[in-house]
Amino acid sequence: MSSLIDADEISHEAELVWLEDVDQLDYVRQSLDRLPTRKGKPAYHRDGRMVGYAILGSDAKASRASGTFRRRVFWLLPHDRDSEPNGLYAKSAPAEAVDPRTLEPRVKGYKTERSEGGPPSAAMQELGIRLPL
């Protein structure tokens, strides 16, 4: 859930780098990882694949205890909807998932009808907003 990330923890983001076309993804998982640098592509140690990451501004301070920086990493697992459209997340999304269209530097992102695998809301339909489902 987007509430897992506090706005203060991402306040030093300067840019989000996407490794894939996120317009084709209903959701991405996001986490705050402890990384040795402010910028550059981080190493990836999960199953699945990294689809993006945050770059921090020069004002970001390293942790006094570890010397690392907290940076967002965006990723997907092999059983996520993009790989298994009729699988576990066909009509839902993992807790840490958000719609990538709602993400920007310093913005934690949100779940939407699309990311949850549901149809557009009545309000969206009234406004003529159509999402590829």
Side-chain angles (χ1 to χ4, degrees):
M1 202 169 349
S2 59
S3 62
L4 298 174
I5 292 182
D6 185 293
D8 289 344
E9 294 178 301
I10 59 174
S11 64
H12 296 288
E13 289 180 345
E15 181 182 350
L16 298 182
V17 175
W18 296 109
L19 304 172
E20 295 185 20
D21 180 3
V22 293
D23 288 337
Q24 304 304 312
L25 300 173
D26 294 343
Y27 65 81
V28 296
R29 295 172 185 251
Q30 68 177 343
S31 59
L32 275 171
D33 292 359
R34 292 208 171 273
L35 300 170
T37 62
R38 287 185 186 95
K39 56 187 176 179
K41 183 178 175 183
Y44 185 72
H45 302 290
R46 294 180 180 88
D47 287 342
R49 67 192 194 275
M50 178 173 30
V51 295
Y53 57 90
I55 292 177
L56 303 181
S58 59
D59 59 338
K61 304 280 188 257
S63 163
R64 288 184 197 186
S66 67
T68 59
F69 297 89
R70 302 250 309 161
R71 289 172 54 194
R72 276 195 295 180
V73 175
F74 306 100
W75 46 285
L76 291 167
L77 292 176
H79 61 273
D80 279 324
R81 191 181 313 146
D82 70 303
S83 298
E84 292 187 14
N86 297 315
L88 177 64
Y89 294 113
K91 295 292 180 193
S92 64
E96 66 274 14
V98 294
D99 187 330
R101 292 158 203 78
T102 66
L103 290 165
E104 294 180 32
R106 299 173 301 283
V107 175
K108 57 186 179 175
Y110 302 93
K111 288 191 186 249
T112 63
E113 288 91 351
R114 179 186 173 99
S115 67
E116 287 291 318
S121 66
M124 291 174 68
Q125 291 173 5
E126 285 178 27
L127 293 170
I129 299 171
R130 297 182 188 275
L131 299 174
L133 294 173

